[in-house]
Amino acid sequence: MGDQVKLNAAGTEYDYPVLKGSVGPDVIDIRKLYAQTGKFTYDPGFTSTASCESALTYIDGDEGVLLHRGYPIGQLAENSSFMETSYLLLNGELPNAAELATFENTITRHTMLHEQLANFYRGFRRDAHPMAIMCGVVGALSAFYHDSTDISDPEHRKISSHRLIAKMPTIAAAAYKYSVGQPFVYPDNKLSYTGNFLRMTFGVPAEEYEVIPAVEKAMDRIFILHADHEQNASTSTVRLAGSSGANPFACIAAGIACLWGPAHGGANEAALNMLKEIGTPDKIQHYIDRAKDKNDPFRLMGFGHRVYKNYDPRATVMQKTVREVFDALKVTDPLFETALRLEEIALSDPYFAEKKLFPNVDFYSGIILSAIGFPTTMFTALFALARTVGWVAQWNEMISDPGQKIGRPRQLYTGPTQRDYVAIGQR
Ligand code: SDX
C-alpha cells in the first residue's frame, strides 16, 4: 500500500492515496473526496492544486529551476534553438540532425496564411492592439482547416500543432505590419524560423532585408525562454478549453486572450511602460514605496511570481542577452540602467525579500525587444508566438490521455437560498 493521508470528516476517517511524481511535491489524490464526504476542497487561484499529470516542464520555485523534458532552461538557451526545443517539447526527446531537419522543413512549409485571412486584418482599426488581432485571427483559423478537425486522430492533432507553430510568426508579423500601414511580407523558406519572422516583421518589399545573426540568435533565445511553463494561467485555459473537445485553433485563441493580462504575459509590456514612467534612477524609491503600499494598486511589473520564490532562471538569461543585443546593435538604453538599479534597490528592501519577490521573465525582455525595434504593444504577441508550442504540447498531452475528462470545477455557494418569485406589483 503506498503512502496515504487520513482525513477525519464529521467523525469518519477517510484515507486518500499520495501519488509521487519523478521529482517535486507529491499530490493527494482526492478524486473520491466529494463522493465520500459530500465536501469540496476550496482553492481559488489554485495555489495548492495540481490540475493534471504532465511530463513536459518541471519548475522548482524555491531553487529557481526550470526543466523542459528534464533539460535545464539555461542549457537549452545556451545550446539549443527554438525549433529544436519545440521538437523536444512535442516529442519528449532531443532530435538527431535528420529529425531536426525534417521537423524544420515541415514547419517551414506551413508558414504561409490562407490569402482570405488577410481580410480579417482589414476589419481592425490600424491602432488595434496586436493581441486583439492575434485573438481574432488565430480564432478565425478554426474556420479554415476542415481536413484536420478530428482531435482523436493523432495525425490530425499533429498537423494542427504544426500549422499553429508555423503560422504564429506570420500572424504576429502581419499584425505589426498592419499597425504601421506597411504591406504584409510573405515567408521566405530559405530563412530560419526566427530569421523568417524578423524579415516578415521588419523587411519591406522595396529592399533586401538582411538578418543580423546576433539579433536572430537573441530573438531565438527569447522564444526558447517563453516556450512553456507548466500549468500557468494561459496553459490552464488552453487545457480547460481543450477538455470539452473544442477546435484546437479556438483553444489557442483562448490561451492568447488569457496571456494578454498584465498579471501574466501582458507584464512585459507593462514592465517597460513602468520603467519609462519611472524614467531615471532617482525616481525609483517613490515607485518602490508605492509597490509596498497596501492601499496603492501599483505593483512592480516584471516582479514576483506564483511559483518562483527565487530568481526566475529565465530572467538571468534575459539580463545577459540585453548586453549581447546592445553590443551587436551598438546601442544602449538608459532604461537598462534604471532596471538594474530598480532590481538592486528592490532586492535589498525587506518587503521584497520577505515576500520573495524577484524579477521574472518579463522584467528585462522589453528592453531587448525595444532595442531590436519592436513597439511595446508587440511584446505580448511575441510571448504568445513562442508559448504556442507549449500550449499545443500541453493540449496534445491532455487530449491523448485516455483518462482525460472535461474540466468542471465546483464552488462554495454564498448566494441566496431558494425563495419564491414576487410579482412586480408586490416589490
Ligand atoms: C508570467 O504562472 C506562470 O508561470 C506565468 C509565467 C509563464 O511563463 O507563463 O511565468 C509568465 O505571468 C510572469 C509573471 C508576470 N506578472 C507580473 O510581473 C505582474 C506583477 N506580479 C504580480 O502581479 C504577482 O507577483 C503575480 C501575479 C505574478 C503572482 O501573484 P500571486 O502568486 O497571486 O502572489 P500575490 O498576488 O498573492 O502576492 C503575494 C504578496 C502580496 O502581498 P500580501 O497580500 O501577501 O501582503 O506579494 C505582493 C502582493 O501584494 N506582490 C507584489 C508584487 N507581486 C506580489 N508587491 C509588489 N510588486 C509586485 N510585483
Side-chain angles (χ1 to χ4, degrees), residues 312-359:
D312 183 335
R314 302 168 297 177
T316 307
V317 179
M318 209 63 93
Q319 192 193 95
K320 175 170 160 279
T321 306
V322 172
R323 300 181 198 283
E324 290 175 13
V325 169
F326 281 8
D327 291 349
L329 295 178
K330 296 185 181 29
V331 298
T332 184
D333 182 346
L335 290 181
F336 183 43
E337 294 316 312
T338 302
L340 290 170
R341 187 83 185 98
L342 172 60
E343 176 188 335
E344 185 187 336
I345 296 172
L347 296 187
S348 61
D349 186 304
Y351 174 92
F352 294 88
E354 282 152 23
K355 294 181 188 295
K356 299 186 176 179
L357 302 173
F358 291 85

Side-chain angles (χ1 to χ4, degrees), residues 229 232 262-264 267 291 294 299-306 314 351 355 357 360 362 383 387:
H229 212 241
N232 58 84
H264 191 12
K294 298 304 295 167
R299 287 192 163 180
L300 284 188
M301 300 316 283
F303 253 76
H305 199 278
R306 171 62 57 77
R314 302 168 297 177
Y351 174 92
K355 294 181 188 295
L357 302 173
N360 59 50
D362 294 311
F383 195 148
R387 184 54 57 88

Side-chain angles (χ1 to χ4, degrees), residues 130 168-169 171-177 179-180 193-203 209 215-216 218-220 222-223 268-269 272-273 276 325 329 333 335 365-383 385:
M168 287 299 270
I171 291 168
Y176 170 70
K177 284 305 197 189
S179 73
V180 294
Y193 181 88
T194 302
N196 189 30
F197 169 64
L198 290 169
R199 178 180 170 275
M200 290 191 288
T201 304
F202 298 117
Y209 178 80
V215 172
E216 183 181 22
M219 190 78 252
D220 197 70
I222 289 172
F223 288 161
N268 53 17
E269 177 178 353
L272 195 74
N273 289 337
K276 287 177 180 171
V325 169
L329 295 178
D333 182 346
L335 290 181
S365 57
I367 293 170
I368 305 172
L369 298 174
S370 187
I372 293 174
F374 293 102
T376 47
T377 50
M378 275 296 289
F379 292 179
T380 310
L382 301 176
F383 195 148
L385 184 168

Side-chain angles (χ1 to χ4, degrees), residues 94-292:
L94 287 168
N96 62 33
E99 289 164 334
L100 180 57
T102 302
F103 180 70
E104 286 181 323
N105 183 57
T106 301
I107 297 298
T108 298
R109 272 153 184 72
H110 283 293
T111 51
M112 250 194 334
L113 294 181
H114 191 294
E115 201 62 16
Q116 288 296 104
L117 265 172
N119 298 330
F120 283 87
Y121 287 84
R122 291 182 178 80
F124 290 101
R125 287 170 43 139
R126 290 282 180 176
D127 62 355
H129 195 290
M131 284 300 278
I133 295 177
M134 298 284 279
C135 286
V137 173
V138 174
L141 286 175
S142 51
F144 278 74
Y145 295 105
H146 304 295
D147 64 340
S148 55
T149 55
D150 175 5
I151 59 171
S152 65
D153 179 340
E155 282 309 303
H156 282 205
R157 293 204 300 272
K158 192 172 177 183
I159 178 73
S160 297
S161 302
H162 289 167
R163 279 174 169 147
L164 278 158
I165 295 166
K167 295 180 193 305
M168 287 299 270
T170 314
I171 291 168
Y176 170 70
K177 284 305 197 189
Y178 186 71
S179 73
V180 294
Q182 290 182 0
F184 297 167
V185 175
Y186 287 96
D188 177 347
N189 291 353
K190 296 190 296 300
L191 298 175
S192 73
Y193 181 88
T194 302
N196 189 30
F197 169 64
L198 290 169
R199 178 180 170 275
M200 290 191 288
T201 304
F202 298 117
V204 289
E207 293 166 11
E208 270 305 303
Y209 178 80
E210 191 188 329
V211 177
I212 302 172
V215 172
E216 183 181 22
K217 181 171 170 37
M219 190 78 252
D220 197 70
R221 185 187 296 166
I222 289 172
F223 288 161
I224 292 172
L225 296 176
H226 288 84
D228 189 49
H229 212 241
E230 200 208 64
Q231 304 312 317
N232 58 84
S234 53
T235 297
S236 298
T237 300
V238 171
R239 278 181 172 258
L240 198 54
S243 72
S244 74
N247 177 295
F249 298 96
C251 293
I252 299 305
I256 293 171
C258 178
L259 184 75
W260 192 1
H264 191 12
N268 53 17
E269 177 178 353
L272 195 74
N273 289 337
M274 175 190 73
L275 290 171
K276 287 177 180 171
E277 188 183 330
I278 293 173
T280 50
D282 59 295
K283 304 280 191 342
I284 287 173
Q285 193 54 51
H286 168 68
Y287 285 87
I288 295 268
D289 295 341
R290 283 190 58 195
K292 292 161 58 177

